[in-house]
């Protein structure tokens, strides 16, 4: 039981008997302040008054407020109550524009130390917000910078102040690095030979801010006037930085040097990778450059080396799909395919599958382009087109290595597919990925690639199609009512007797006002039964195969998505965005 609840009982604000009776009748409940309010044992305003009184007495620290949202308390309302009680202003920094001239008057390091930020000034006053309005030492430290003005004390959340100051510090560093690079360019005859340490500092800053922001990819692009850095977070691109176009040249050259690419080659696409330690963690960065009309586009995929491989159980499949897919990957021979668009987590699913089936009794060999994560207990081969090591040539060599199970990173051509099918027909289990919109379409894609339908039917074991949908932010999650056209479209997919309760994220600072944090997989798994195999061999249509699959219990990706929306994991809008009826 937390300290505040103990004090509430001690002061008689909460009845100890009422609490004991509640605990005895709800043995599995976690006692929190939010629960006390919801069950009528505590009034919200009474709690605010009690906390304010005990902070003023010094019984509890002001910093305790930051953690109260985990107890189900509206901390913003509590901050506003305290500000009103102290007759000071509460400032929401996420929606407040800060006077940039004030930021030049006080060192950012001092503001971070005192957890304060100067917001605005006029001829008489300066408004400074503090994380703790009772911290007189912090107020004295800031007052010294405004000897001719009256400092008005304001209140903001400590996390908001910290985020805003780090953002300011980042932009200050960015500006200084860009200016340093531009200065070096003026004194350098050839921008490609620029050895300015500011370029490396700028790259480090970009990598750090992207990793802290949970980005999966970094896009560095040049436009007619600017150089733009964008991050892909939860599958959506967000602009991070924008600076002078002149900086792109040395920045691109240094990234190419790090990735062992040809810095003079700007007419052909190049692929490389480099490793770096960022915020005390090892990361791999997979780099791709592409010539554009104006210059080049550089994309860096972020791979966390310390990240443990996700297990198949944690991939997010529903129970039935998990059971079918697990049966597929544990068969002794045949092809199991994972399909979906780029960035839908196909490779992660393959790694999770290998993790589930690897054994000292089996020899497992993979051929990948590139190898994203190193796994113990298996042999991993990286494609090298320059050396003539393609997927097809690697596969031929792999088959002479006496493997039991083979993983092909991606089937890109007919030759690779034909060798994979031959391997499956000769007693090997083959796992691979294919680019199709749904599971059943993979069958027709294989036929379109020139494979006879009887070979497709004889080798296929199971196909999983998947997408990634954004998860609702737990901090601002709220119930929503769905009606009209959308409801009529999804009604068929809602199980009978299931309550139609849907949710969305309102948007908060935790999710950068998007309403989403993290991603969840939606999927469909088609097991190729004997009946389906006969139909494939006899060139059945997609409609006929779909009808037969549904009669065998096939659940579409859209249905799986609606189920996850009903569970409150994602929104209906997200399902419509990534899946199709």
């Amino acid at each position: 039981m937390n300290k505040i609840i103990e004090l509430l009982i001690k002061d008689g604000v909460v009845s100890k008997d009422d609490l004991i009776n509640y605990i005895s009748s709800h043995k599995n409940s976690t006692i929190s302040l939010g629960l006390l309010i919801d069950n009528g044992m505590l009034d919200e305003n009474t709690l605010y008054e009690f906390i304010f009184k005990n902070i003023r007495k010094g019984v509890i620290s002001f910093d305790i407020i930051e953690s109260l949202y985990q107890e189900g308390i509206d901390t913003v309302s509590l901050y506003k109550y305290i500000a009103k009680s102290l007759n000071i202003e509460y400032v929401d920094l996420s929606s407040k524009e800060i006077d940039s001239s004030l930021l030049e008057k006080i060192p950012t390091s001092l503001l971070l130390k005192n957890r304060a930020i100067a917001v605005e000034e006029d001829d008489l006053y300066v408004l400074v917000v503090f994380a703790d309005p009772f911290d007189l030492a912090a107020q004295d430290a800031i007052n010294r910078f405004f000897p001719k003005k009256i400092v008005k004390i304001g209140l903001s959340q400590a996390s908001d102040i910290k985020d805003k100051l780090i953002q300011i510090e980042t932009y200050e560093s960015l500006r200084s690095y860009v200016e340093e690079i531009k200065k070096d360019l003026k004194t350098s005859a050839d921008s490609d030979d620029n050895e300015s340490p500011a370029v490396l500092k700028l790259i480090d800053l970009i990598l750090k801010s992207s990793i802290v922001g949970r980005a999966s990819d970094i896009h560095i692009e040049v436009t007619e006037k600017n150089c733009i850095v964008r991050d892909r977070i939860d599958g959506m691109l967000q602009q991070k930085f924008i600076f002078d176009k002149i900086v792109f040249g040395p920045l691109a050259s240094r990234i190419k040097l790090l990735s062992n690419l040809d810095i003079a080659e700007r007419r052909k696409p190049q692929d490389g990778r480099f490793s770096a330690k960022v915020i005390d963690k090892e990361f791999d960065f997979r780099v791709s450059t592409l010539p554009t009309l104006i210059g080049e586009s550089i994309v860096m995929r972020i791979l966390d080396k310390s990240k443990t491989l996700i297990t198949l159980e944690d991939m997010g499949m529903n129970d039935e799909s998990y059971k079918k897919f697990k049966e597929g990957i544990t068969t002794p021979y045949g092809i199991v395919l994972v399909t979906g668009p780029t960035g839908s987590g196909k490779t992660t699913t393959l790694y999770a599958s290998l993790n589930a089936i690897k054994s000292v009794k089996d020899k497992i060999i993979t051929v990948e382009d590139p190898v994203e994560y190193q796994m113990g207990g298996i042999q991993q081969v990286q494609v090298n087109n320059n050396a003539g090591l393609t997927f097809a040539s690697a596969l031929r060599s792999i088959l002479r290595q006496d493997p039991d199970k083979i993983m092909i990173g991606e089937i890109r051509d007919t030759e690779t597919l034909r060798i994979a099918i031959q391997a499956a027909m000769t007693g090997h289990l083959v796992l691979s990925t294919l680019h199709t919109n749904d599971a059943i379409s993979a069958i027709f894609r294989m036929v379109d690639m020139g494979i006879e339908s009887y070979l497709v039917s004889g080798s296929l074991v199971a196909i999983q199609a998947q997408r990634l949908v954004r998860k609702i932010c737990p901090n601002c999650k709220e119930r929503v009512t769905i009606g009209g056209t959308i409801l009529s479209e999804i009604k068929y997919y809602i199980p009978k007797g299931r309550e139609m309760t849907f949710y969305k994220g309102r948007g908060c600072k935790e999710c950068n006002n998007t309403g989403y944090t993290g991603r969840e997989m939606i999927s469909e798994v088609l097991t190729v039964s004997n009946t389906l195999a006969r139909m494939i061999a006899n060139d059945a249509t997609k409609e006929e195969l779909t009808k037969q699959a549904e009669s065998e219990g096939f659940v579409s990706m859209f249905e799986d998505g609606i189920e996850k929306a009903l569970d409150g994991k994602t929104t209906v809008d997200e399902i419509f965005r990534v899946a199709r009826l």
Side-chain angles (χ1 to χ4, degrees):
M1 198 178 296
N2 69 45
K3 186 178 179 180
I4 293 177
I5 294 176
E6 288 174 4
L7 288 169
L8 286 165
I9 293 167
K10 185 182 174 183
D11 284 17
V13 179
V14 171
S15 166
K16 189 176 182 180
D17 292 338
D18 288 349
L19 192 56
I20 290 167
N21 288 335
Y22 182 86
I23 293 168
S24 61
S25 57
H26 300 80
K27 289 181 180 175
N28 295 323
S29 293
T30 303
I31 302 302
S32 66
L33 291 168
L35 187 139
L36 297 181
I37 291 167
D38 291 343
N39 286 276
M41 287 182 270
L42 179 63
D43 177 69
E44 199 171 60
N45 279 328
T46 304
L47 174 67
Y48 293 170
E49 188 184 340
F50 180 83
I51 289 171
F52 175 65
K53 185 177 75 175
N54 280 277
I55 287 172
R56 203 158 200 175
K57 285 181 183 175
V59 177
I60 54 177
S61 164
F62 195 90
D63 294 334
I64 204 167
I65 298 172
E66 282 282 288
S67 62
L68 289 183
Y69 81 92
Q70 294 170 341
E71 295 263 323
I73 299 301
D74 181 356
T75 50
V76 173
S77 295
L78 177 52
Y79 274 109
K80 286 177 179 176
Y81 176 90
I82 291 169
K84 190 178 177 183
S85 302
L86 291 170
N87 199 26
I88 61 175
E89 185 181 344
Y90 172 78
V91 178
D92 179 8
L93 287 175
S94 61
S95 59
K96 185 80 173 176
E97 190 176 346
I98 294 169
D99 186 347
S100 57
S101 64
L102 280 168
L103 301 172
E104 296 168 9
K105 295 179 180 178
I106 316 172
T108 308
S109 57
L110 187 92
L111 292 171
L112 275 164
K113 182 184 174 183
N114 291 287
R115 299 187 303 162
I117 186 166
V119 176
E120 60 188 21
E121 73 172 331
D122 55 28
D123 294 337
L124 194 60
Y125 298 101
V126 176
L127 175 61
V128 181
V129 293
F130 292 85
D132 183 352
F134 298 104
D135 188 346
L136 298 177
Q139 290 174 31
D140 285 342
I142 303 299
N143 280 343
R144 281 196 283 268
F145 289 89
F146 303 101
K148 296 177 181 178
K149 296 273 177 88
I150 298 169
V151 175
K152 283 169 69 177
I153 307 299
L155 176 63
S156 281
Q157 296 192 62
S159 56
D160 283 357
I161 292 172
K162 186 182 176 185
D163 290 346
K164 185 65 80 173
L165 288 171
I166 288 171
Q167 187 184 8
I168 290 161
E169 196 175 42
T170 301
Y171 274 95
E172 279 178 356
S173 301
L174 181 75
R175 275 199 302 270
S176 67
Y177 298 156
V178 167
E179 288 305 314
E180 204 176 319
I181 293 166
K182 283 161 72 176
K183 196 168 146 188
D184 290 335
L185 283 170
K186 282 177 185 175
T187 58
S188 173
D190 186 355
S191 63
D192 288 340
D193 294 330
N194 172 47
E195 292 297 326
S196 169
V199 180
L200 276 174
K201 289 176 186 173
L202 181 59
I203 290 168
D204 184 55
L205 180 75
I206 290 167
L207 298 183
K208 272 182 186 172
S209 64
S210 298
I211 286 164
V212 168
R214 301 183 299 106
S216 60
D217 300 84
I218 305 167
H219 292 240
I220 304 173
E221 299 150 347
V222 62
T223 66
E224 286 185 7
K225 294 179 181 177
N226 300 303
C227 174
I228 295 168
V229 179
R230 296 191 291 169
D231 287 347
R232 189 174 293 281
I233 301 167
D234 295 334
M236 307 295 275
L237 280 171
Q238 296 177 17
Q239 188 166 301
K240 195 80 175 183
F241 302 120
I242 182 164
F243 37 80
D244 296 356
K245 182 182 177 179
I246 197 171
V247 176
F248 181 81
L251 182 64
S253 295
R254 187 52 66 98
I255 290 170
K256 285 180 182 177
L257 275 172
L258 287 169
S259 312
N260 292 317
L261 302 178
D262 183 355
I263 61 169
E265 182 57 76
R266 297 190 184 113
R267 296 170 301 169
K268 289 195 300 187
Q270 296 188 77
D271 294 301
R273 66 192 298 155
F274 68 93
S275 296
K277 196 169 188 177
V278 184
I279 323 171
D280 298 324
K281 282 175 79 176
E282 285 288 340
F283 288 89
D284 272 346
F285 297 91
R286 201 171 78 199
V287 179
S288 169
T289 70
L290 181 73
T292 64
L293 194 64
I294 299 167
E296 283 181 291
S297 169
I298 297 172
V299 177
M300 294 187 278
R301 167 68 55 89
I302 302 169
L303 303 167
D304 187 349
K305 288 175 96 170
S306 66
K307 209 174 189 179
T308 53
L309 283 170
I310 194 166
T311 61
L312 204 58
E313 294 88 341
D314 296 330
M315 286 297 294
M317 299 182 209
N318 62 57
D319 293 341
E320 193 58 35
S321 292
Y322 171 75
K323 185 182 168 188
K324 286 179 180 177
F325 191 73
K326 189 75 186 283
E327 283 173 3
I329 63 172
T330 51
T331 54
Y333 57 87
I335 292 181
V336 176
L337 289 175
V338 180
T339 78
T342 304
S344 60
K346 299 188 300 294
T347 306
T348 305
T349 300
L350 285 184
Y351 276 119
S353 304
L354 289 178
N355 219 19
I357 61 173
K358 71 175 183 180
S359 162
V360 289
K361 296 176 184 176
D362 292 325
K363 176 144 185 170
I364 301 174
I365 307 179
T366 76
V367 52
E368 305 166 63
D369 183 23
V371 174
E372 288 197 11
Y373 294 102
Q374 292 182 13
M375 285 183 74
I378 65 172
Q379 305 301 309
Q380 292 173 277
V381 178
Q382 181 153 316
V383 166
N384 186 342
N385 290 315
N386 294 333
L389 186 64
T390 62
F391 274 112
S393 62
L395 265 175
R396 286 194 197 93
S397 301
I398 281 170
L399 290 171
R400 291 193 286 272
Q401 286 278 314
D402 186 30
D404 296 289
K405 297 173 174 67
I406 301 165
M407 189 266 265
I408 307 166
E410 185 185 339
I411 292 174
R412 294 177 182 171
D413 53 62
T414 305
E415 189 183 5
T416 306
L417 178 57
R418 197 167 283 281
I419 298 167
I421 285 173
Q422 286 169 0
M425 301 287 270
T426 53
H428 303 89
L429 177 68
V430 180
L431 306 177
S432 190
T433 69
L434 200 64
H435 285 282
T436 62
N437 288 325
D438 54 59
I440 292 172
S441 293
I443 296 162
F444 298 95
R445 175 89 175 104
M446 291 170 78
V447 173
D448 289 343
M449 288 174 77
I451 306 299
E452 295 80 0
S453 52
Y454 70 88
L455 287 176
V456 174
S457 69
S459 59
L460 265 181
V461 173
I463 308 162
Q464 168 163 301
Q466 64 182 62
R467 298 282 191 285
L468 293 176
V469 292
R470 291 178 294 170
K471 291 197 289 187
I472 299 169
C473 172
N475 292 299
C476 58
K477 184 176 174 180
E478 61 184 19
R479 285 181 66 164
V480 289
T481 305
I482 289 175
T485 313
I486 294 175
L487 184 62
S488 63
E489 286 182 17
I490 66 172
K491 215 167 186 177
Y492 173 77
Y493 300 98
I494 297 170
K496 283 183 181 177
R498 181 76 187 263
E499 188 183 347
M500 286 192 286
T501 307
F502 296 99
Y503 300 85
K504 72 165 188 177
R506 186 175 59 252
C508 63
K509 63 180 175 63
E510 298 292 328
C511 61
N512 202 19
N513 291 313
T514 61
Y516 300 97
T517 50
R519 289 191 284 178
E520 173 91 6
M521 185 174 82
I522 60 169
S523 63
E524 60 186 30
V525 178
L526 177 72
T527 303
V528 181
S529 64
N530 291 332
T531 306
L532 281 170
R534 281 196 301 273
M535 290 174 74
I536 293 164
N538 292 324
D539 296 320
T541 64
K542 186 176 180 180
E543 290 72 24
E544 289 169 340
L545 290 176
T546 304
K547 191 176 177 182
Q548 176 59 31
E550 285 174 350
S551 72
E552 294 176 8
F554 174 73
V555 175
S556 74
M557 195 159 27
F558 190 83
E559 287 177 77
D560 184 39
I562 294 299
E563 190 67 37
K564 283 185 165 62
L566 286 166
D567 290 340
K569 293 176 182 176
T570 188
T571 63
V572 174
D573 289 343
E574 268 296 284
I575 305 306
F576 273 99
R577 184 179 70 84
V578 303
R580 197 169 61 182
L581 268 169

